[in-house]
Structure formats: structure tokens, C-alpha cells
């Protein structure tokens, strides 16, 4: 018998998040929290929910991996022809969510998206394991395929094509950078009286506010 979903709950506990003591730049706080998340859960600390909107205004969400913080933005890599790639081409504005349950911490980010340079995409692609490089060629991401055998056949074909060679980055694969306009830090607290600090971009500076839980 499935447990009653309404009975699934936990109490949260964490250090106090005080708006009078946070840094002026949210990237400093993000890097502090992210560093602790990596120490706590090194395998999944960079997993984040990426939410996009399609041309009909319908939302879509999936988990992707943060792969860099540069030029005041958060970077991830994917197939430009995928579902999310098409959505980003139409509506270049996204929301990100990081959730670290062991720390009772969440970070929400909203902002515009731009493609990273080809040089940056080349450099990251070259750093990937060979199997992941091949995967970028093998998979027509988000396209309907007949079965697993179709995927395995393409895998075998591309292994033969690039046997003994360096694998180049496909032109349809590369990086995006999210340029945040809002970053919210959430620290879980007992009795659902959580700490929430929001940074809002105002020209070249950031304005901070405490939000009710």
C-alpha cells in the first residue's frame, strides 16, 4: 500500500540567514553555498532544474548540470536542436533551481540567456570524456526514435567514424550562460519559518530584501 502522500513531511533546520550580514554581491554567497554543497554531496551538487517557456507560453522543466560560473553568469551545455534549445531560441529567459536537501538549502535564479562563445564551447567539449563527446554526435536529442537498437547502431557507427581520432565538437552542441536578474537564497528553518533573501538586479548593483517564508 502506498504511503499517504500528505503524511510525508520533514522539519528543516539550518543556520540563520541574516540580510544584514550577506555580501553585497550574490555571486559571493552562491560560491560559499555551492562550495559547501560540493563538500556535502559531491556527485550532485551541480544538478539544477532548468525551466523554459515554449512559443505557446507553456513551461517545461528538466535537470541539467551547472558547468561554470563566468562573466557574472551560470553556464550549462546542451544540444542546440533539443527541445530546450528551441525554447531558448524563442524565449531566451529561464529559471534555475538548486536544491541541496542535506543542507536544507535552495537557490532560485531567474534571468536572460545567451550562448557562450564557440571558443568556450570548444574548450569545454575537449574536456569531456570520450564517451560523452561521442554521445553529442549519437543523440538527436528530444527526437522520437524507434527503439534502443537505433541508438546502439548509431553508437557503433560513430565509434567507427572517429576510431583513433580526436572527436570535434558538433556545431549543434554548445553552451548557454544565464545572466541573472534575480537570485533568491532559501535556508530551511523549523516550523516552516524559513529564511529567504532575494537579490534583485538594479542597473549595475544588487538590491537585497527579506521575504516572508
Amino acid at each position: 500500500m502506498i504511503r499517504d502522500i500528505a503524511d510525508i513531511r520533514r522539519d528543516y533546520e539550518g543556520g540563520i540567514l541574516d540580510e544584514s550580514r550577506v555580501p553585497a554581491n550574490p555571486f559571493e554567497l552562491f560560491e560559499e553555498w555551492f562550495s559547501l554543497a560540493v563538500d556535502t554531496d559531491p556527485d550532485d551538487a551541480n544538478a539544477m532544474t532548468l525551466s523554459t517557456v515554449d512559443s505557446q507560453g507553456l513551461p517545461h522543466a528538466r535537470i541539467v548540470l551547472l558547468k561554470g560560473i563566468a562573466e557574472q553568469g551560470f553556464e550549462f551545455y546542451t544540444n542546440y536542436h533539443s527541445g530546450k534549445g528551441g525554447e531558448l531560441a524563442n524565449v531566451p529567459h529561464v529559471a534555475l533551481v538548486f536544491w541541496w536537501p542535506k543542507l536544507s538549502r535552495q537557490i532560485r535564479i531567474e534571468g536572460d540567456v545567451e550562448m557562450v562563445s564557440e571558443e568556450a564551447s570548444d574548450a569545454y567539449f575537449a574536456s569531456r570524456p570520450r564517451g560523452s563527446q561521442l554521445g553529442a554526435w549519437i543523440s538527436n536529442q528530444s527526437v522520437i526514435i524507434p527503439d534502443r537498437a537505433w541508438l546502439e547502431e548509431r553508437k557503433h557507427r560513430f565509434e567507427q567514424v572517429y576510431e583513433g581520432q580526436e572527436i570535434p565538437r558538433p556545431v549543434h552542441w554548445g553552451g548557454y550562460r544565464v545572466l541573472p536578474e534575480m537570485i533568491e537564497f532559501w535556508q530551511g528553518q523549523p516550523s516552516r519559518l524559513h529564511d529567504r533573501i532575494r537579490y534583485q538586479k538594479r542597473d549595475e548593483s544588487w538590491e537585497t530584501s527579506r521575504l516572508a517564508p
Side-chain angles (χ1 to χ4, degrees), residues 131-147:
S132 297
Q133 291 177 337
L134 281 170
W137 285 99
I138 294 165
S139 175
N140 296 332
Q141 196 175 99
S142 303
V143 172
I144 295 174
I145 61 176
D147 49 34

Side-chain angles (χ1 to χ4, degrees), residues 47-116:
M48 60 186 184
T49 299
L50 168 69
S51 297
T52 55
V53 177
D54 66 22
S55 57
Q56 279 74 51
L58 299 175
H60 303 270
R62 76 288 287 163
I63 303 294
V64 299
L65 300 178
L66 177 71
K67 286 299 179 179
I69 304 173
E71 299 179 38
Q72 298 296 290
F74 300 89
E75 297 177 352
F76 65 95
Y77 290 81
T78 191
N79 187 316
Y80 292 142
H81 296 167
S82 64
K84 57 183 169 296
E87 289 148 18
L88 291 172
N90 281 301
V91 184
H93 192 85
V94 304
L96 305 174
V97 179
F98 291 87
W99 168 235
W100 299 308
K102 293 180 180 179
L103 299 173
S104 297
R105 285 179 172 177
Q106 172 185 260
I107 299 178
R108 296 175 54 233
I109 299 167
E110 296 174 0
D112 294 329
V113 172
E114 64 181 15
M115 287 183 177
V116 306

Side-chain angles (χ1 to χ4, degrees), residues 6-193:
D7 288 337
I8 301 175
R9 57 172 56 87
R10 59 174 283 197
D11 209 8
Y12 298 94
E13 185 174 356
I16 299 298
L17 183 58
D18 187 341
E19 67 274 18
S20 68
R21 301 179 65 181
V22 297
N25 189 321
F27 282 87
E28 294 181 29
L29 186 56
F30 180 89
E31 290 180 4
E32 177 187 325
W33 279 29
F34 185 74
S35 179
L36 183 57
V38 170
D39 290 341
T40 304
D41 188 6
D43 292 330
D44 295 313
N46 64 331
M48 60 186 184
T49 299
L50 168 69
S51 297
T52 55
V53 177
D54 66 22
S55 57
Q56 279 74 51
L58 299 175
H60 303 270
R62 76 288 287 163
I63 303 294
V64 299
L65 300 178
L66 177 71
K67 286 299 179 179
I69 304 173
E71 299 179 38
Q72 298 296 290
F74 300 89
E75 297 177 352
F76 65 95
Y77 290 81
T78 191
N79 187 316
Y80 292 142
H81 296 167
S82 64
K84 57 183 169 296
E87 289 148 18
L88 291 172
N90 281 301
V91 184
H93 192 85
V94 304
L96 305 174
V97 179
F98 291 87
W99 168 235
W100 299 308
K102 293 180 180 179
L103 299 173
S104 297
R105 285 179 172 177
Q106 172 185 260
I107 299 178
R108 296 175 54 233
I109 299 167
E110 296 174 0
D112 294 329
V113 172
E114 64 181 15
M115 287 183 177
V116 306
S117 68
E118 292 189 5
E119 292 78 11
S121 289
D122 286 341
Y124 174 69
F125 187 83
S127 74
R128 303 182 89 203
R130 187 174 179 85
S132 297
Q133 291 177 337
L134 281 170
W137 285 99
I138 294 165
S139 175
N140 296 332
Q141 196 175 99
S142 303
V143 172
I144 295 174
I145 61 176
D147 49 34
R148 178 76 191 188
W150 181 92
L151 202 60
E152 295 294 342
E153 189 278 328
R154 281 179 63 86
K155 179 175 181 289
H156 178 68
R157 189 188 336 152
F158 278 103
E159 285 175 338
Q160 289 182 317
V161 168
Y162 290 113
E163 185 176 4
Q165 303 178 45
E166 289 189 3
I167 302 172
R169 177 179 65 89
V171 295
H172 60 264
W173 190 98
Y176 291 98
R177 181 180 299 114
V178 179
L179 304 173
E181 299 168 357
M182 187 283 295
I183 304 179
E184 181 193 313
F185 295 83
W186 181 99
Q187 174 66 71
Q189 298 292 357
S191 303
R192 300 297 191 266
L193 299 179

